[in-house]
């Protein structure tokens, strides 16, 4: 299972970020050591304090700590992790990853990581089905990055369709059960 695994949970700007608190708690309950990185826009949806409390580790979002000037070493963190899970993964972050852009701590860590990287997309139906997002997800998969398929249901816009971030329990199952790690598009 996930006992003893070192998991970096990346959270991007999406309403689905609220599910990341539950995911953090479930990963810790599974016996994983969890570190959390937030993009700046993720802070609009969930607080570092919540995630730090649940993960029992400091939460990082910038390349350095403003208080003491110390560096958050993205290379070291990428080497530390057994898995990187970006949940939720916004269309914006998926696009940056597909093009090798790393203008924030999370993306720099992903680009320097040697471990498996998973993305759990979260966006509206039309965004998820847009040819650019479909192409970006296929490109990520060609790099070995695994997509945790989104669910179907009511979206934040009120539309019904595919694009909901997978539920935390589904993400845990995906990480713990290799048979679920099939690519889908």
């Amino acid at each position: 299972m996930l006992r003893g695994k070192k998991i970096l949970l990346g959270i991007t700007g999406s309403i689905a970020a609220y599910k990341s608190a539950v995911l953090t708690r479930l990963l810790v309950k599974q016996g994983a050591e969890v570190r959390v990185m937030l993009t700046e826009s993720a802070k609009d949806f969930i607080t570092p304090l919540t995630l730090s409390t649940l993960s029992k580790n400091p939460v990082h979002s910038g390349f350095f700590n403003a208080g003491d000037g110390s560096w958050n070493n993205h290379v070291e963190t990428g080497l530390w992790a057994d898995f990187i899970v970006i949940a939720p993964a916004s269309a914006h972050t998926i696009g940056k990853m597909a093009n090798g852009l790393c203008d924030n701590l999370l993306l720099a860590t992903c680009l320097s990581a040697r471990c498996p990287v998973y993305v759990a997309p979260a966006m509206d139906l039309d965004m998820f089905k847009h040819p650019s997002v479909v192409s970006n997800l296929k490109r990520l998969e060609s790099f070995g990055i695994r997509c945790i398929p989104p669910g179907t249901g009511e979206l934040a816009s009120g539309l019904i369709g595919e694009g909901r971030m997978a539920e935390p329990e589904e993400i845990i199952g995906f990480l713990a059960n290799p048979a679920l790690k099939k690519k889908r598009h």
Side-chain angles (χ1 to χ4, degrees):
M1 273 278 217
L2 299 175
R3 181 161 302 287
K5 296 293 184 189
K6 295 179 256 178
I7 300 174
L8 174 63
L9 176 60
I11 302 171
T12 70
S14 167
I15 190 67
Y18 77 91
K19 293 182 180 182
S20 298
V22 175
L23 179 57
T24 301
R25 185 168 187 187
L26 291 175
L27 288 168
V28 169
K29 279 187 164 189
Q30 290 277 325
E33 181 181 349
V34 180
R35 293 184 186 174
V36 179
M37 279 188 188
L38 298 173
T39 63
E40 283 301 315
S41 60
K43 292 180 192 176
D44 291 335
F45 298 95
I46 192 162
T47 68
L49 177 60
T50 298
L51 297 161
S52 177
T53 302
L54 294 171
S55 70
K56 301 174 178 56
N57 282 305
V59 171
H60 299 290
S61 61
F63 286 102
F64 69 95
N65 295 313
D68 64 8
S70 62
W71 177 41
N72 292 320
N73 187 333
H74 62 281
V75 174
E76 179 183 298
T77 303
L79 293 174
W80 167 86
D82 293 317
F83 297 114
I84 296 176
V85 180
I86 302 176
S90 65
H92 186 78
T93 293
I94 289 167
K96 285 183 176 185
M97 290 176 75
N99 289 287
L101 303 177
C102 59
D103 63 350
N104 64 48
L105 182 62
L106 175 60
L107 295 176
T109 302
C110 287
L111 205 57
S112 62
R114 297 181 184 167
C115 64
V117 177
Y118 298 86
V119 293
M123 60 198 77
D124 205 68
L125 169 67
D126 296 321
M127 293 172 71
F128 184 69
K129 294 295 185 186
H130 193 278
S132 64
V133 173
V134 171
S135 175
N136 285 336
L137 286 169
K138 286 180 181 174
R139 190 162 191 199
L140 290 182
E141 288 177 347
S142 78
F143 300 155
I145 295 172
R146 297 169 184 124
C147 179
I148 300 171
T152 300
E154 186 175 356
L155 304 166
S157 65
L159 295 175
I160 306 291
E162 193 174 19
R164 289 175 58 92
M165 184 177 101
E167 295 301 321
E169 297 81 4
E170 294 171 320
I171 294 171
I172 297 274
F174 196 90
L175 296 173
N177 184 352
L180 297 176
K181 296 178 183 176
K182 295 177 184 167
K183 296 176 186 175
R184 185 175 91 175
H185 274 329

